[in-house]
Amino acid sequence: MLPTFFRNWKHVFKLDPERSITDAALEAICLSGTDAIIVGGSSGVTYENTVDLLSRIRRYEVPCALELSDVRCGVPGFDGYFIPSVLNTMHTEWMIGHHVNALQHFAHLLPWESVVGEAYLVLNEESTVAHVSDARANLTIDEAVAYSQVADRLWRVPVLYVEYSGKFGSMELVGRIHQGLEQAHLFYGGGIDNASRAQEAATVSDTIVVGNIIYDNLDAALATVAAVSLVIKE
Ligand code: 1GP
């Protein structure tokens, strides 16, 4: 049976192991009422900084999942593991190649009952993830919908992640994708830096992911938590 630990999440904070966060800020994030913390980043993630962040988050009860883009950072002890593939990459290693290499060596170590495949649609050309994965990010709405339906209807992925990292995306596009999904759970992340954007994004997705603003304006980040509880889904 597929893991479902993420299915009730409406709001999550994403913490980057490479970035420093004070104990006080981390406590505020963990006690904010968010549904979960995802640990992950597009560069500079190591086994050591991932262990360090997990051990600090574990002082609190909030669920915590790892987005595992490099199997060498596969720290045990998370509540769940997301394994990303980039749908609109120009290079097959970001879709399947790295995964095949990783499973050749580490498949026996993965806690499969807690592992979830995550199909990324990368839509901000300027983002690190777009550069690293060489994603064809400048898609029309119809193209983006078609990508999402390949993942949802053909491949039956459990999670589709619409990623605008660093930029607030087109809510029209995200809404169109959401309406077209048959079974995948939709994560939206990118540029959510206040309560009203949190509400907008939550209206057209299943889970919103709040990242950068944690490090730039903690109060604004915390305000996004309450905002999603007011949302009526489209
Ligand atoms: C990044 O989708 C997340 O992977 C969140 O994006 O950092 O822009 O909030 P931001």
Side-chain angles (χ1 to χ4, degrees):
M1 203 167 105
L2 283 174
T4 56
F5 60 86
F6 54 88
R7 280 266 168 189
N8 294 328
W9 297 352
K10 293 185 167 45
H11 178 287
V12 305
F13 282 120
K14 189 185 276 193
L15 291 175
D16 185 341
E18 198 194 13
R19 298 180 80 170
S20 60
I21 183 166
T22 64
D23 284 342
L26 186 65
E27 176 163 289
I29 290 295
C30 292
L31 299 179
S32 64
T34 187
D35 295 308
I37 309 284
I38 293 178
V39 170
S42 301
S43 63
V45 179
T46 65
Y47 190 89
E48 287 71 27
N49 60 24
T50 304
V51 167
D52 181 56
L53 185 54
L54 175 64
S55 65
R56 294 175 66 204
I57 294 168
R58 280 298 188 224
R59 295 176 197 154
Y60 309 95
E61 289 182 5
V62 65
C64 185
L66 178 64
E67 199 162 55
L68 188 55
S69 359
D70 179 343
V71 78
R72 289 169 301 181
C73 305
V75 172
F78 282 87
D79 298 308
Y81 295 84
F82 294 106
I83 313 281
S85 295
V86 179
L87 292 170
N88 53 333
T89 178
M90 303 301 283
H91 301 288
T92 54
E93 61 260 43
W94 292 104
M95 173 90 67
I96 190 168
H98 291 311
H99 314 69
V100 170
N101 286 339
L103 291 196
Q104 277 186 63
H105 300 104
F106 297 103
H108 61 292
L109 292 177
L110 284 171
W112 287 104
E113 67 287 352
S114 320
V115 172
V116 178
E118 192 186 43
Y120 260 73
L121 192 55
V122 174
L123 295 175
N124 176 8
E125 291 170 290
E126 307 301 322
S127 62
T128 305
V129 62
H131 289 300
V132 169
S133 66
D134 197 11
R136 192 167 76 85
N138 187 17
L139 302 179
T140 65
I141 291 183
D142 286 344
E143 286 173 328
V145 169
Y147 270 103
S148 71
Q149 293 188 352
V150 168
D152 175 55
R153 299 183 183 197
L154 296 185
W155 297 348
R156 314 298 288 181
V157 298
V159 172
L160 175 73
Y161 192 133
V162 175
E163 173 67 294
Y164 275 95
S165 180
K167 168 182 162 186
F168 193 62
S170 160
M171 293 299 107
E172 183 193 353
L173 181 153
V174 183
R176 282 274 308 280
I177 285 176
H178 195 216
Q179 285 162 11
L181 294 179
E182 274 185 352
Q183 57 80 42
H185 184 96
L186 180 60
F187 281 20
Y188 170 81
I192 298 174
D193 55 7
N194 60 44
S196 101
R197 284 184 165 180
Q199 271 187 18
E200 269 189 80
T203 305
V204 291
S205 61
D206 298 313
T207 303
I208 63 163
V209 183
V210 177
N212 272 312
I213 193 68
I214 298 166
Y215 302 94
D216 297 340
N217 183 339
L218 182 62
D219 287 340
L222 295 171
T224 64
V225 178
V228 302
S229 58
L230 305 170
V231 165
I232 298 165
K233 296 283 177 189
E234 269 187 354

